[in-house]
Amino acid sequence: MNYDCQEKRTDCLQYYLKSLIFYYFEVINKNMISPNYLKEGATVAIVSTARKISKKELIPAITILKKWGLKVVLGKSIEAEEHQFAGNDKLRTSDFQAMLDHPGIDAVWCA
């Protein structure tokens, strides 16, 4: 289909949107690595990549994860504090990266 974008702007935008969606599913999505589903006994790490957060604030999330049969590991950035942040930039980035690299961690949640 060839659209005259000046006269049929809505049709033209829909055409381009459909093209982008097609490109995503046919090209980009094929190369994307999808993680396995979490199973009972899997380990979930919780880190804070931005604002400070206390263990007390995480109790609802930890409770749900444990109810699902998952293990929970809290990162060094939890309870860390530097102004409104969960520690300095180096602590937060290294904590997040360590959890991504750890072979025993199956998922990472950012608080």
Side-chain angles (χ1 to χ4, degrees):
M1 283 183 178
N2 188 6
Y3 287 107
D4 179 5
C5 289
Q6 297 303 322
E7 293 180 16
K8 299 181 180 182
R9 176 159 274 167
T10 302
D11 290 341
C12 185
L13 290 173
Q14 288 176 350
Y15 172 78
Y16 286 118
L17 183 59
K18 287 178 184 178
S19 297
L20 287 173
I21 292 170
F22 174 80
Y23 179 77
Y24 171 77
F25 283 106
E26 293 299 317
V27 177
I28 296 173
N29 199 31
K30 282 185 178 180
N31 298 323
M32 188 165 55
I33 300 169
S34 297
N36 296 324
Y37 290 104
L38 294 176
K39 297 177 182 170
E40 193 170 329
T43 303
V44 176
I46 302 177
V47 298
S48 181
T49 57
R51 77 169 186 89
K52 60 186 172 187
I53 191 163
S54 68
K55 289 179 186 176
K56 184 179 177 182
E57 292 174 280
L58 293 174
I59 289 173
I62 293 169
T63 302
I64 289 171
L65 290 169
K66 287 184 176 182
K67 186 185 265 188
W68 292 343
L70 302 171
K71 300 173 194 165
V72 179
V73 173
L74 298 180
K76 294 176 183 175
S77 56
I78 304 302
E79 295 280 335
E81 185 175 337
E82 185 167 306
H83 305 291
Q84 76 269 24
F85 298 108
N88 60 35
D89 292 346
K90 185 175 181 178
L91 172 72
R92 289 181 281 127
T93 55
S94 64
D95 189 29
F96 184 54
Q97 189 64 56
M99 295 303 180
L100 291 174
D101 293 341
H102 194 291
I105 301 295
D106 301 297
V108 179
W109 281 15
C110 297

